[in-house]
Amino acid sequence: MRFVALGDVGKGNDVQRAVASALGTVCAARACDFALLLGDNLYPDGMTTAGAPRMDEVFTEVYGGLDLDFYAVLGNHDYGRTHVDANAQHQVDWADQHVQFHLPRRYYRFRSGPAAFWALDTDAVFWNGLEPQATWLDDTMGPVEARWKVVFGHHTWRSNGDHGNAGEYEGWSHVPYASGNAVRALFEGHVKGRAQLYLSGHDHNLQSLTHEGVEIVVSGGGASALPLVDRGNTLRAGHASAGFVWVELADAMTLAFYDADAQLLSEHVIPWSPPD
């Protein structure tokens, strides 16, 4: 099973269109079953009104020509700078009318081939705390039998980027909300030991690393790129580049990072192992 993942796309700029074109090129060459959209689907404040036309501009007009279904999560910009609940709901409602854009609920799960996927609403965790998503993960991840268990959301768990590590976002470990303590608690207490892979956006670059037995991928280069920052993580791959990750899950996990010109930046094969 093969898919691509990219985040922070919703700017409608030339970089977003170039990355979308590169995605089409790579999927034609290597095959893609679907795409994961890792949040911040519409800048700067999401859908401030129902049916906001700019959502069509940054999604339908950019990706509509690709024969791909996109499974999306919400990012902080989809809620808006003050976490406006209505903005997020407008996007969920918009998804119900657009068959290529899947966002059935603010957090949800699906199966594909040898993998099971859990989509998180990390901005809700950031502002409101672990529940009810912690209980949902506890209730749904354990009973599922799948060779690969994959979790995806918007906020980073570990990252050598501007936002950095959950619980220490922006280097603010002493600020309860801004540090992302609740997000870290969700990852450390309810994802670790259950999933083999976590994918996020939020930091606008491309990275992979291993933390607590989980492969972590940051793929936030869907419409812009920012430099890497030393946050104390040992990276398997780190590219201060716009682009995306192509993932294959079979007997092993393959991670291939591509830039906005469809040029391969790095590729790594990680042997299968059960969740640690």
Side-chain angles (χ1 to χ4, degrees), residues 66-276:
L66 300 174
D67 185 21
L68 279 177
D69 286 340
F70 287 75
Y71 291 87
V73 294
L74 296 163
N76 53 296
H77 281 279
D78 298 310
Y79 274 95
R81 284 163 284 194
T82 55
H83 190 71
V84 179
D85 188 79
N87 295 3
Q89 189 58 44
H90 289 326
Q91 197 170 129
V92 174
D93 294 341
W94 184 88
D96 191 49
Q97 305 300 316
H98 294 77
V99 296
Q100 193 181 14
F101 185 92
H102 298 270
L103 184 62
R105 288 170 295 281
R106 299 189 196 190
Y107 55 95
Y108 61 96
R109 60 192 175 111
F110 69 95
R111 292 288 300 259
S112 182
F117 293 79
W118 284 261
L120 300 178
D121 181 356
T122 57
D123 203 58
V125 175
F126 183 94
W127 288 101
N128 302 328
L130 276 68
E131 297 299 342
Q133 292 183 66
T135 296
W136 172 70
L137 288 172
D138 291 346
D139 291 344
T140 60
M141 290 197 77
V144 170
E145 293 186 6
R147 182 171 180 82
W148 297 98
K149 293 186 178 182
V150 180
V151 179
F152 65 107
H154 179 66
H155 285 74
T156 52
W157 181 351
R158 304 285 299 187
S159 166
N160 281 5
D162 266 2
H163 294 297
N165 303 320
E168 302 172 349
Y169 286 153
E170 331 299 337
W172 297 342
S173 59
H174 59 288
V175 183
Y177 280 97
S179 66
N181 279 335
V183 178
R184 179 179 63 183
L186 185 74
F187 294 144
E188 300 289 351
H190 305 274
V191 174
K192 183 178 76 175
R194 291 178 172 149
Q196 293 125 320
L197 174 63
Y198 174 69
L199 302 106
S200 76
H202 205 38
D203 275 331
H204 297 190
N205 41 50
L206 307 171
Q207 306 173 51
S208 74
L209 64 140
T210 302
H211 176 68
E212 301 283 2
V214 181
E215 189 66 24
I216 294 175
V217 169
V218 178
S219 183
S224 61
L226 289 174
L228 296 168
V229 178
D230 184 4
R231 301 290 187 184
N233 301 298
T234 300
L235 300 183
R236 178 179 283 106
H239 308 287
S241 173
F244 58 93
V245 63
W246 178 89
V247 182
E248 181 180 69
L249 299 179
D251 291 336
M253 179 193 309
T254 301
L255 302 175
F257 291 92
Y258 287 88
D259 68 12
D261 296 318
Q263 296 300 304
L264 181 65
L265 300 172
S266 63
E267 183 165 343
H268 310 276
V269 177
I270 300 145
W272 178 86
S273 63
D276 186 4

Side-chain angles (χ1 to χ4, degrees), residues 17-35:
R17 286 185 282 270
V19 171
S21 177
L23 190 152
T25 299
V26 171
C27 286
R30 302 193 72 170
C32 302
D33 296 309
F34 55 86

